[in-house]
């Protein structure tokens, strides 16, 4: 039986529209019709009470959530718990992210994500391998002892995901040109991050198929007048995508506004870089209060969250406690971005970035019924993944 979602402001390609019913059948959006249409009354009708209905958020950088760090629990259950923790914040599609680690851990994480997708774990679209092919000079919280250049066997392993998409963050200054070319040829979405590359090195990597930049401005050479660096190359390029962490700690809002002005529309993507505290409250307290689980261990260090800032004892940023709904709210409040565009930065543009723009990230006939209902304060009231609803 079809489901009709009615009495909502629906985000379409033309902006928010009232008076539309979204028809869901077989896990996909069957059609958008006027509410008086007979098809909107023929099946299971759900009144959304004036909520804003938007495409489900797609987060391409999720290290953890629900108390789980993927590196520590590279299992189907670990992946499931991360995805479940983020769903209540509107994330209906995600790439669980493995930071730099040994080949065996990488292999186990890829196998876990493969199996999770095969088993239909809601919200898992692939994997993000953030490293270990990175630059020690821009290591951030990564363990530089894990860094290396992949040989043929490891290239094959890193590109071995059968179900879903693989996003790989690497440093073009540390990885030979032929390796970048090989990853691209194997269908891997390659991004630059944790890199000390020059502008020219990045330009060369873009010509080889580099598709994006991981957490723009962070862990990369900055933009200077005579040395544009990675940031300059990212902002100068018209085709690539840039992930940004809008938490008020990773990047100053003014720098984010500069990036939005420099890049073509559709090329800035919201990510969380989330860590285990997200969606991990103490028992009996509201699930939205993620910082009630303030500390966790990463690479032998204790990372602690305080006032939204997550750092190790030496002050190094250790990911974030940001969720996608908060990222959207911050983008509207701090960056002068209209709500419809902020939502696209969290849904449509990430889908385009990882090659899923024809099936996810939009409310249109034929697309996956991955949706989020937001109230007037932009809090998540319900999510749909493949048409299956969860209310909050």
């Amino acid at each position: 039986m079809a489901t009709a979602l009615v009495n909502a402001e629906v985000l379409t390609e033309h902006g928010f529209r009232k008076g539309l019913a979204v028809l869901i059948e077989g896990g996909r959006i069957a059609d958008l019709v006027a509410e008086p249409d007979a098809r909107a009354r023929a099946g299971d009708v759900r009144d959304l009470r004036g909520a804003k209905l938007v495409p489900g958020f797609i987060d391409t950088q999720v290290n953890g959530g629900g108390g789980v760090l993927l590196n520590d629990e590279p299992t189907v259950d670990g992946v499931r718990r991360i995805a479940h923790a983020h769903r209540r914040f509107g994330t209906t599609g995600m790439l669980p992210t493995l930071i730099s680690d040994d080949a065996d851990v990488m292999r186990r994480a890829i196998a876990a994500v493969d199996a999770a997708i095969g088993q239909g774990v809601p919200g898992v679209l692939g994997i993000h391998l953030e490293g270990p092919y990175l630059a020690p000079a821009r290591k951030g919280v990564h363990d530089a002892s894990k860094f290396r250049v992949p040989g043929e066997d490891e290239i094959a392993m890193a590109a071995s995901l059968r179900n879903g998409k693989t996003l790989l963050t690497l440093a073009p200054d540390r990885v030979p040109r032929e390796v970048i070319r090989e990853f691209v040829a194997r269908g891997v979405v390659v991004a630059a991050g944790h890199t000390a590359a020059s502008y020219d090195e990045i330009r060369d990597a873009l010509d080889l198929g580099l598709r994006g930049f991981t957490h723009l401005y962070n862990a990369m050479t900055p933009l200077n007048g005579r040395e544009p660096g990675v940031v300059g190359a990212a902002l100068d390029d018209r085709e690539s995508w840039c992930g940004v962490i809008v938490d008020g700690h990773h990047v100053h809002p003014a720098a984010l506004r500069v990036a939005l002005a420099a890049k073509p529309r559709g090329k800035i993507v919201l990510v969380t870089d989330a860590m285990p505290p997200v969606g991990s409250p103490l028992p009996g307290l509201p699930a939205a209060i993620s910082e009630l689980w303030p500390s966790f261990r990463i690479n032998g260090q204790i990372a602690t969250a305080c006032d939204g800032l997550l750092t190790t004892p030496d002050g190094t940023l250790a990911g974030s406690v940001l969720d996608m709904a908060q990222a959207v709210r911050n983008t509207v409040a701090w960056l002068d971005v209209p709500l419809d565009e902020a939502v696209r930065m969290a849904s449509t543009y990430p889908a385009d970035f990882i090659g899923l723009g024809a099936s996810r990230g939009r409310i249109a006939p034929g697309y996956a019924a991955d949706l989020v209902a937001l109230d007037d304060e932009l809090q998540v009231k319900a999510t749909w993944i493949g048409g299956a609803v969860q209310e909050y």
Side-chain angles (χ1 to χ4, degrees), residues 69-93:
L69 181 68
L70 182 61
N71 288 68
D72 292 341
E73 295 190 46
T75 64
V76 172
D77 185 60
V79 169
R80 180 183 292 107
R81 288 162 61 193
I82 294 170
H84 178 74
H86 283 267
R87 180 172 179 172
R88 66 158 292 104
F89 305 111
T91 297
T92 63

Side-chain angles (χ1 to χ4, degrees), residues 117-133:
I117 296 174
Q119 295 173 23
V121 173
V124 183
L125 302 179
I127 192 169
H128 180 172
L129 301 172
E130 188 183 358
Y133 320 125

Side-chain angles (χ1 to χ4, degrees), residues 241-268:
W241 284 262
C242 296
V244 295
I245 307 169
V246 189
D247 66 350
H249 299 291
H250 278 78
V251 188
H252 193 285
L256 292 171
R257 289 193 291 270
V258 168
L260 282 164
K263 294 291 284 185
R265 180 171 178 255
K267 297 297 185 177
I268 299 291

Side-chain angles (χ1 to χ4, degrees), residues 18 62 75 125 135 141 150 174 186 238 247 251 281-282 335 342 367 372 385:
K18 295 181 179 180
V62 187
T75 64
L125 302 179
V141 78
R174 303 289 293 185
R186 290 174 178 264
R238 307 295 291 175
D247 66 350
V251 188
L282 293 175
L335 307 185
Y367 277 73
V372 178
I385 299 180

Side-chain angles (χ1 to χ4, degrees), residues 70 74 79 98 104-114 127 129:
L70 182 61
V79 169
L98 188 81
D104 179 62
V105 177
M106 292 175 67
R107 190 175 293 108
R108 289 164 57 201
I110 292 168
V113 169
D114 227 353
I127 192 169
L129 301 172

